[in-house]
Amino acid sequence: MNRLSVEEISYTAGQQIQVIGDGTPLPADASLDVLGAKAWNLAKMAALGLPVPPAFVIGTGWCQQPEDVHTHWPAALQRLEALTGLSLGDHRRPLLLSVRSGAAVSMPGMMESLLNIGLTEATLPGMVRLTGHPRLAWDAYRRLIAAYGEVVAGIPAAHFEADLDGIRQGDDERELDFAALREVANRHLSTYVREAGEPFPQDAHVQLREAIAAVFASWQSAKARAYRELHGIPHDIGTAVTVQRMVFGNAGGLSGAGVGFTRNPSSGEPCPWVDFLFNAQGEDVVSGRRSARGHDELALVIPNLWETLKRICSQLESAFGDMQDFEFTIESGRLHLLQTRSGKRTPQAAARIALDLLDQGIIDSATALARTQHLNASALTLRSVASTDGRRLSPLAHAASAANGVACGEIVMDEARARARKAAGVPTILVKRDAETHDIAAIELAAGLLTQRGARTSHAAVVARQLGKVCLVGCETLSLDEASRTLATTGSRRAIL
């Protein structure tokens, strides 16, 4: 396997644009502050010989003045095209790209990402010929229109969800064939025109330019600013943008997308903790709008890749000196790593992980002490629920535990209600249909988060865990109507809030 590296294209006061290609190591003046944690860690993984798709990164220095950046990244794009043998906008061999944010400090889910950039009516037939997979092409296209409409054009996601629901009629979207997905894409195109007042852009280079601008702009979004204020992160450090060759977990067969932790982030148990969906893209797992399964199905269907992932977990911990939160895609049986970063964890997990890594010789005693000095007896206390008469309690419903603990309070569905009840001294539980990061302010106010959909590794669950909130996701028997402010579980009476 060729080792990937980072080759500098330009550099002016933090305005670096570098290609993650093959051949040379990081230049001496490259830094995490300029490249952002995502690209910095991608380069480090590539240097370890791990399977990282090629990319280029636009440095954090461009975040405060991104107006002219589109005149600087074409040279990096040309190098990426040379590495892949594909070209953005080419009708026969189209290059498709992901565009992701990445500040020097991890801010999971607070900024935007866009996938499948470069897919148009002209390039779609070329993708079908390249892959031999029309369903993949139409699935990627309808996803692009919806995501681009939401992130770039500001169209509410509910409009695109309604298009999809009208076709799938309650079925899992992964079961739709290419004809059904083509109809979804056509409905999305009509929705885009209706809501944006202009057609969806069919120029691949326009898509890339606008996607990069939107990701930079998301640094100033309300949820990103709220997160920085909660965690004392300066507003002026900016984000980098990583533009990477797409790999497709929605290619059917032995394909899928996953997010994992090298150890259990709730308990600290030293075993991989993975959420995975076959025939899906990474946003399906982290967005909080889909429920995902643990690793059991992956280990059963592709055992050799599961064993490879376990070995990679050990490599990542040794290389980065900490428990890692990583994203990966499997395309037709081939594994690709898309990201790694130090994982958010509960206080109990923080203590166990620090001690275990110390025992393994991965970190020294000073580092272990620094990672645990904020912990106290209250933070490390484990609580459980008991009945007054000692009888075993019968659960009302079941959900996946993203952050262990006990929380009780009045049910709320939005930030305004959570804020009002907290002011009145009343603890609350935030109940939502999806585990989404734009609810960060409400999550911070509540004692816990319960969602109808979502994965343990979704960005919102990661944030809840970091904030020390009890978090349960994917409660499939929960029925929630936010418009009428009612909820129920299967077999229970509907409550009006």
Side-chain angles (χ1 to χ4, degrees):
M1 179 184 299
N2 288 333
R3 290 196 173 187
L4 301 176
S5 61
V6 173
E7 184 177 351
E8 185 178 27
I9 296 295
S10 64
Y11 177 80
T12 306
Q15 293 180 328
Q16 258 172 309
I17 299 178
Q18 297 184 335
V19 174
I20 300 177
D22 59 359
T24 58
L26 279 166
D29 61 352
S31 71
L32 183 148
D33 289 341
V34 171
L35 299 183
K38 188 186 301 289
W40 181 261
N41 290 345
L42 281 175
K44 193 168 182 178
M45 285 196 294
L48 294 171
L50 297 175
V52 176
F56 67 85
V57 56
I58 304 171
T60 56
W62 290 102
C63 189
Q64 304 302 333
Q65 46 181 9
E67 299 82 11
D68 298 328
V69 70
H70 67 277
T71 65
H72 292 265
W73 52 253
L77 175 61
Q78 290 173 7
R79 298 216 182 168
L80 185 56
E81 290 173 330
L83 286 171
T84 61
L86 306 171
S87 295
L88 184 69
D90 186 83
H91 294 186
R92 295 182 301 172
R93 296 183 57 80
L95 172 64
L96 302 190
L97 301 166
S98 66
V99 182
R100 303 174 188 267
S101 59
V105 180
S106 176
M107 295 173 53
M110 294 301 123
M111 293 169 289
E112 300 295 354
S113 295
L114 282 158
L115 308 180
N116 307 310
I117 292 295
L119 200 52
T120 68
E121 292 177 359
T123 61
L124 194 146
M127 184 180 178
V128 173
R129 285 192 294 271
L130 271 179
T131 64
H133 202 321
R135 187 196 182 280
L136 167 61
W138 284 104
D139 189 37
Y141 190 40
R142 63 96 182 177
R143 288 170 181 270
L144 169 62
I145 300 164
Y148 192 96
E150 183 180 356
V151 173
V152 179
I155 300 171
H159 291 301
F160 298 111
E161 286 280 344
D163 291 342
L164 177 59
D165 289 341
I167 297 295
R168 66 179 174 180
Q169 297 293 313
D171 293 335
D172 190 327
E173 66 196 82
R174 292 175 296 165
E175 301 302 319
L176 298 178
D177 62 19
F178 85 89
L181 291 169
R182 181 175 58 196
E183 177 59 25
V184 174
N186 288 331
R187 291 193 182 195
H188 283 355
L189 289 170
S190 297
T191 295
Y192 192 101
V193 171
R194 184 185 72 240
E195 298 298 325
E198 61 184 14
F200 175 76
Q202 295 295 334
D203 184 321
H205 289 83
V206 169
Q207 290 180 7
L208 180 55
R209 184 184 70 218
E210 295 303 315
I212 291 171
V215 172
F216 272 132
S218 70
W219 175 256
Q220 298 297 348
S221 68
K223 64 180 180 181
R225 294 187 69 85
Y227 185 93
R228 292 197 294 273
E229 288 165 3
L230 276 174
H231 297 284
I233 301 171
H235 291 300
D236 60 355
I237 62 173
T239 182
V241 174
T242 299
V243 180
Q244 190 168 33
R245 178 190 178 176
M246 279 294 303
V247 287
F248 297 97
N250 55 331
L254 301 182
S255 300
V259 178
F261 289 77
T262 54
R263 297 176 187 237
N264 188 312
S266 290
S267 68
E269 184 181 359
C271 60
W273 200 73
V274 173
D275 280 339
F276 184 79
L277 278 173
F278 275 103
N279 202 24
Q281 290 195 324
E283 286 299 301
D284 295 334
V285 181
V286 302
S287 69
R289 297 175 186 171
R290 303 286 185 271
S291 297
R293 301 181 180 89
H295 70 264
D296 293 343
E297 189 176 7
L298 172 61
L300 179 66
V301 176
I302 322 178
N304 60 315
L305 280 185
W306 175 241
E307 293 301 317
T308 298
L309 266 181
K310 290 195 292 185
R311 291 194 298 272
I312 285 173
C313 285
S314 297
Q315 283 182 273
L316 292 176
E317 286 196 347
S318 296
F320 290 90
D322 198 5
M323 182 264 279
Q324 294 293 292
D325 166 4
F326 61 96
E327 296 183 22
F328 64 97
T329 287
I330 298 173
E331 180 181 347
S332 301
R334 184 176 180 182
L335 177 66
H336 304 271
L337 295 176
L338 305 179
Q339 175 171 300
T340 193
R341 59 191 172 197
S342 292
K344 306 296 187 286
R345 64 207 73 182
T346 64
Q348 291 82 11
R352 178 169 181 177
I353 291 169
L355 292 173
D356 284 352
L357 292 179
L358 174 62
D359 288 344
Q360 291 174 238
I362 293 176
I363 61 175
D364 58 24
S365 57
T367 302
L369 182 62
R371 292 181 184 175
T372 55
Q373 62 183 359
H374 65 287
L375 302 176
N376 54 40
S378 176
L380 293 173
T381 299
L382 294 174
R383 294 173 175 82
S384 60
V385 178
S387 63
T388 55
D389 59 7
R391 294 181 182 179
R392 183 176 180 178
L393 295 171
S394 177
L396 185 64
H398 293 271
S401 175
N404 299 337
V406 175
C408 60
E410 181 179 302
I411 292 174
V412 297
M413 292 186 177
D414 54 50
E415 178 189 348
R417 182 66 176 173
R419 193 172 298 281
R421 299 310 287 157
K422 183 167 186 177
V426 179
T428 59
I429 304 296
L430 179 66
V431 182
K432 301 290 290 186
R433 183 182 307 280
D434 302 317
E436 296 189 284
T437 52
H438 62 63
D439 293 311
I440 181 172
I443 295 171
E444 197 276 332
L445 292 164
L449 172 66
L450 170 65
T451 70
Q452 180 180 347
R453 302 189 297 193
R456 301 172 304 172
T457 51
S458 65
H459 287 318
V462 169
V463 170
R465 189 182 307 121
Q466 183 186 26
L467 292 173
K469 309 295 182 178
V470 178
C471 182
L472 300 177
V473 299
C475 183
E476 296 179 353
T477 59
L478 180 66
S479 174
L480 182 66
D481 187 334
E482 295 178 353
S484 63
R485 304 185 69 78
T486 62
L487 64 80
T489 58
T490 301
S492 72
R493 299 179 63 184
R494 183 168 294 274
I496 301 176
L497 306 179

